[in-house]
Amino acid sequence: MAIRNIVESDISGKPDAATVTFGLGDTWFEIDLTDEERKELEKNLKQYISKGRKATKKGEKKRLVPDTTPEEREKIREWARENGLEVPEFGRIPKAVMKAHDEAHGIERTV
């Protein structure tokens, strides 16, 4: 026995549709469209999309956290203390300390 789900277009009622998500203002919408209908929607929005930019959620800040393990961060703190740099016991390691450590050890780190 096989169970088959058929998604029909919300516009034309044709089968083989897929869900398309888009937003306007602060509201997100979902609609089931055939491939042809989706292309038509994209064509109609093309001039706006080409001039627009991808948005982030309001209040969302991109976190710039170096890719380090807890053990690496502890070694960086030890190195900083040994070299007379101020570094907090817990929390974020200052960027200047990270930069000095990485330069001293030939590390190129991406954030």
Side-chain angles (χ1 to χ4, degrees):
M1 175 195 249
I3 298 174
R4 203 170 152 201
N5 291 323
I6 299 173
V7 179
E8 293 181 345
S9 165
D10 292 327
I11 302 292
S12 64
K14 292 180 181 177
D16 299 323
T19 302
V20 175
T21 304
F22 63 97
L24 183 62
D26 290 335
T27 306
W28 285 92
F29 302 89
E30 285 187 347
I31 188 169
D32 297 327
L33 300 175
T34 63
D35 191 49
E36 184 178 296
E37 293 164 342
R38 179 188 51 79
K39 288 177 183 174
E40 182 69 20
L41 175 63
E42 290 172 354
K43 178 182 157 197
N44 289 330
L45 294 175
K46 187 175 182 176
Q47 71 172 328
Y48 302 102
I49 292 170
S50 69
K51 301 293 183 188
R53 60 194 169 277
K54 288 189 177 185
T56 58
K57 294 178 185 175
K58 289 186 178 182
E60 179 182 291
K61 293 182 181 178
K62 186 176 180 182
R63 290 187 65 202
L64 300 176
V65 178
D67 187 21
T68 57
T69 66
E71 294 79 17
E72 288 174 305
R73 290 189 293 274
E74 187 52 40
K75 287 181 181 179
I76 294 168
R77 289 177 201 285
E78 288 174 22
W79 176 88
R81 288 185 203 107
E82 290 170 2
N83 287 278
L85 299 172
E86 288 188 32
V87 62
E89 194 74 26
F90 300 100
R92 188 177 73 77
I93 297 174
K95 289 180 186 177
V97 172
M98 285 291 289
K99 183 178 178 186
H101 172 271
D102 291 352
E103 286 176 357
H105 294 88
I107 298 171
E108 287 191 35
R109 197 178 306 271
T110 58
V111 268

